Amino acid sequence: MTNVVNKNETYTGQVIDFTHEGHGVVKFDRFPIFVPNAIKDETIEFKVIKVKKQFAIGKLLTIKEKSQDRIEAPCEYYKECGGCQLQHLSYTAQLEMKKEQVVNLFQRKSHFEDTVINNTIGMENPWHYRNKSQIPVQKNRQGEIELGFYRQRSHTLVDINHCMIQDKKHDQIMNKLRTMLEQLNMNIYNEQKHKGELRHIILRSGYYTEDTMIIFVTNTKQLSHKNKIIDYITNEFENVVSIKHNINQEKSNVIMGKTSYTIYGKDTIEDQLAEYQFKISDTSFYQINPQQTEKLYNKALEYAQLDGEQTVIDAYCGIGTIGTYMSQKAKHVYGVEIVEEAIKNAEENAKINHVENATWEAGKAEDIILKWKKEGIKPEVVMVDPPRKGCDQTFIETLIELSPKRIVYISCNPATQVRDVEILKEAGYNLKEITPVDMFPHTTHVETVALIEKN
Ligand SMILES: C[S@@+](CC[C@H](N)C(=O)[O-])C[C@H]1O[C@@H](n2cnc3c(N)ncnc32)[C@H](O)[C@@H]1O
């Protein structure tokens, strides 16, 4: 069989679409060639570097006709660093592309033609939005300590001094910590050998408060130079209210281990969303873009259409943020979350925010929802916000048996969301409306909130 394209040969073609990874798609005889950095509507010259049965990969050589949406990426590390993928695309085009991906998934690949798909809700200033920086620490060949982010599809670091999407405070902390680690001659983890000590440094900050937490993740049970580290940080930084030591001895890509100790200050940091205060532990999930979180939750609340009479379930509730938002307009909120520490935060957060009509339970959503069903709890509205893999099959089955009038489904992975909504459709639910919200500007991640109603 002759190939449509051959490896190492050069071709010219028009980019007709984007993949979900933000790569341009050129098609010859319906055979797709994915070309990183190419933009829809551009005519490009590219070299084929890989040919597979179903697709090929191309390397962009020259742009013959440039898209109006192409811009100069403002970050000096953009070409090397794998943290952002879309800085060469204007922000307006990024928002359109994210909507287009939702349209593709729900209306072209599935059959939700009657669903209203709104424009992506973007940020006014889409920079420095990340309140959490997970920074790998490595030693380079010269023995120097590097802090930065991984190159695309690799585990080697780009040593960086600043990042345009993380909280500005984090640049300064990261740079000073690099100097501190050099001065202490810190033992750094070697991933290939699974030996050594310090693996990651995680910085978490409040957006509306100045609180910062620094977490040292080690492959060892001890954190060397602990007291010197605490002295250095407390002398250098005013707003660090908590320093943690987390132990991760697993040989895996998971960043944090299960055991954490507070080695200085508080166990939590605080942040504010709308008029509510939230305490956040190191192991608890908290949305990484608080400005957009308010817009996301407001949309979710609008979709929930509460008038004070409804019993509501907040499934996959984290530290109880959405549940707290809904409690003002609900009769009672039941929240469930798998991370026990997050449920402790949710209980404390309810007290701080004077929420008296909420019950929080730690456990798997699929188990607890079944227990609630057996106890006779009948929700009119269910809010779900699962991790990337989507909802568990048994969770959806119980949800269907509970038969709520309305389901509001927040997702950070529309591919699993569409799969789950298909099952709900079979069971008599109608996907009325979806709104993409840009929680992760300059990256290819798409977040959506969907309104699903019983027919
Ligand atoms: C995308 S986060 C949403 C959290 C929260 N709704 C928010 O907006 O901050 C998903 C949450 O689901 C939790 N989780 C993952 N698997 C779960 C399960 N099987 N049952 C309950 N919670 C789970 C995670 O720990 C995480 O807190």
Side-chain angles (χ1 to χ4, degrees):
M1 190 184 118
T2 48
N3 286 330
V4 179
V5 290
N6 297 313
K7 194 175 165 181
N8 290 331
E9 281 187 19
T10 299
Y11 301 86
T12 298
Q14 203 192 4
V15 184
I16 55 162
D17 207 352
F18 283 114
T19 67
H20 68 276
E21 289 170 303
H23 301 163
V25 182
V26 177
K27 278 191 181 169
F28 291 154
D29 288 342
R30 297 169 69 190
F31 182 82
I33 304 116
F34 305 132
V35 187
N37 287 317
I39 294 180
K40 192 176 163 190
D41 296 333
E42 284 183 335
T43 304
I44 58 165
E45 190 179 40
F46 60 94
K47 181 174 168 179
V48 172
I49 54 171
K50 197 183 262 179
V51 184
K52 296 271 189 189
K53 223 172 173 183
Q54 310 282 356
F55 64 91
I57 308 280
K59 184 173 185 278
L60 180 62
L61 297 178
T62 42
I63 302 162
K64 302 248 178 204
E65 267 172 62
K66 198 167 160 177
S67 161
Q68 284 181 350
D69 297 326
R70 181 174 286 279
I71 57 163
E72 195 62 46
C75 174
E76 63 178 291
Y77 305 109
Y78 181 61
K79 285 202 174 109
E80 300 167 85
C81 177
C84 297
Q85 303 81 39
L86 300 177
Q87 280 196 24
H88 59 291
L89 197 60
S90 74
Y91 189 54
T92 311
Q94 289 183 26
L95 297 178
E96 279 165 14
M97 174 191 161
K98 290 185 184 188
K99 176 182 176 179
E100 197 52 27
Q101 295 211 351
V102 179
V103 171
N104 252 328
L105 266 171
F106 284 85
Q107 296 189 328
R108 301 205 183 103
K109 294 188 182 152
S110 289
H111 294 286
F112 293 103
E113 286 89 358
D114 298 333
T115 300
V116 175
I117 301 184
N118 293 314
N119 289 338
T120 311
I121 300 176
M123 293 187 82
E124 269 164 42
N125 176 12
W127 301 104
H128 298 291
Y129 59 84
R130 274 194 77 102
N131 58 11
K132 180 180 183 182
S133 306
Q134 307 196 106
I135 308 165
V137 187
Q138 286 183 359
K139 258 193 179 171
N140 65 16
R141 284 196 187 141
Q142 290 74 42
E144 296 155 341
I145 294 176
E146 294 187 333
L147 268 69
F149 296 109
Y150 292 127
R151 281 165 216 276
Q152 216 149 39
R153 290 191 199 85
S154 97
H155 268 209
T156 59
L157 281 193
V158 184
D159 192 38
I160 64 163
N161 289 319
H162 63 92
C163 167
M164 294 190 66
I165 62 169
Q166 75 182 4
D167 186 322
K168 277 187 183 156
K169 291 192 284 293
H170 293 186
D171 290 345
Q172 192 207 5
I173 298 177
M174 184 174 72
N175 292 331
K176 289 207 166 167
L177 289 184
R178 186 190 287 108
T179 309
M180 176 196 79
L181 296 174
E182 285 284 4
Q183 283 168 359
L184 293 173
N185 194 16
M186 191 77 180
N187 181 359
I188 305 298
Y189 177 65
N190 180 315
E191 201 181 348
Q192 277 88 39
K193 294 184 183 155
H194 188 50
K195 281 206 170 115
E197 187 174 333
L198 183 62
R199 298 173 73 137
H200 271 85
I201 293 175
I202 301 170
L203 310 175
R204 281 186 103 164
S205 293
Y207 177 75
Y208 293 100
T209 70
E210 289 289 303
D211 283 10
T212 294
M213 174 187 278
I214 304 184
I215 308 164
F216 291 88
V217 184
T218 65
N219 179 44
T220 46
K221 291 206 169 114
Q222 270 76 40
L223 173 66
S224 305
H225 313 294
K226 187 165 87 184
N227 293 334
K228 284 185 185 161
I229 290 175
I230 296 169
D231 284 349
Y232 183 92
I233 291 174
T234 49
N235 281 328
E236 285 288 337
F237 311 114
E238 266 179 25
N239 301 315
V240 176
V241 297
S242 171
I243 309 177
K244 297 255 183 177
H245 172 209
N246 177 273
I247 300 165
N248 180 7
Q249 297 185 302
E250 298 294 316
K251 199 174 180 184
S252 83
N253 285 343
V254 177
I255 294 176
M256 281 180 77
K258 292 205 171 76
T259 315
S260 275
Y261 301 100
T262 305
I263 58 172
Y264 166 81
K266 302 186 208 168
D267 292 332
T268 52
I269 53 166
E270 276 180 44
D271 203 10
Q272 192 181 328
L273 291 172
E275 67 265 37
Y276 308 108
Q277 312 290 326
F278 293 102
K279 289 196 174 193
I280 311 149
S281 290
D282 56 334
T283 47
S284 302
F285 178 91
Y286 182 62
Q287 300 284 353
I288 58 106
N289 185 338
Q291 296 169 74
Q292 291 299 92
T293 302
E294 291 189 349
K295 297 178 193 167
L296 178 76
Y297 289 178
N298 284 335
K299 198 38 113 179
L301 197 62
E302 178 196 315
Y303 283 169
Q305 297 166 54
L306 304 176
D307 61 12
E309 294 299 315
Q310 291 87 358
T311 298
V312 178
I313 286 180
D314 176 8
Y316 309 89
C317 69
I319 60 169
T321 41
I322 304 179
T324 302
Y325 257 67
M326 291 194 298
S327 63
Q328 299 259 311
K329 293 192 169 173
K331 189 158 84 189
H332 199 91
V333 174
Y334 292 87
V336 55
E337 158 65 44
I338 202 164
V339 176
E340 278 186 30
E341 202 58 33
I343 285 296
K344 282 189 202 150
N345 294 156
E347 281 163 351
E348 217 183 329
N349 290 333
K351 279 189 203 139
I352 302 170
N353 294 301
H354 311 291
V355 174
E356 285 168 2
N357 57 341
T359 308
W360 311 100
E361 286 216 30
K364 288 185 181 167
E366 48 274 31
D367 298 341
I368 302 295
I369 194 178
L370 193 62
K371 178 182 140 245
W372 284 337
K373 181 175 165 269
K374 285 182 188 153
E375 288 170 3
I377 291 161
K378 290 196 174 77
E380 282 88 13
V381 177
V382 175
M383 182 79 63
V384 295
D385 184 8
R388 286 186 66 75
K389 66 178 183 199
C391 295
D392 183 272
Q393 176 80 25
T394 55
F395 174 88
I396 298 192
E397 283 163 16
T398 313
L399 178 61
I400 290 165
E401 285 166 22
L402 277 171
S403 187
K405 193 171 169 200
R406 213 165 282 129
I407 298 166
V408 180
Y409 190 146
I410 298 181
S411 168
C412 53
N413 185 0
T416 53
Q417 187 183 36
V418 73
R419 176 201 70 199
D420 293 346
V421 179
E422 291 270 19
I423 305 171
L424 292 168
K425 185 181 170 186
E426 290 288 306
Y429 280 91
N430 182 17
L431 176 60
K432 300 268 291 192
E433 195 172 316
I434 309 184
T435 304
V437 180
D438 194 21
M439 301 292 281
F440 317 99
H442 312 293
T443 77
T444 49
H445 294 288
V446 181
E447 181 100 8
T448 50
V449 51
L451 168 61
I452 304 156
E453 282 185 337
K454 210 172 160 72
N455 285 334

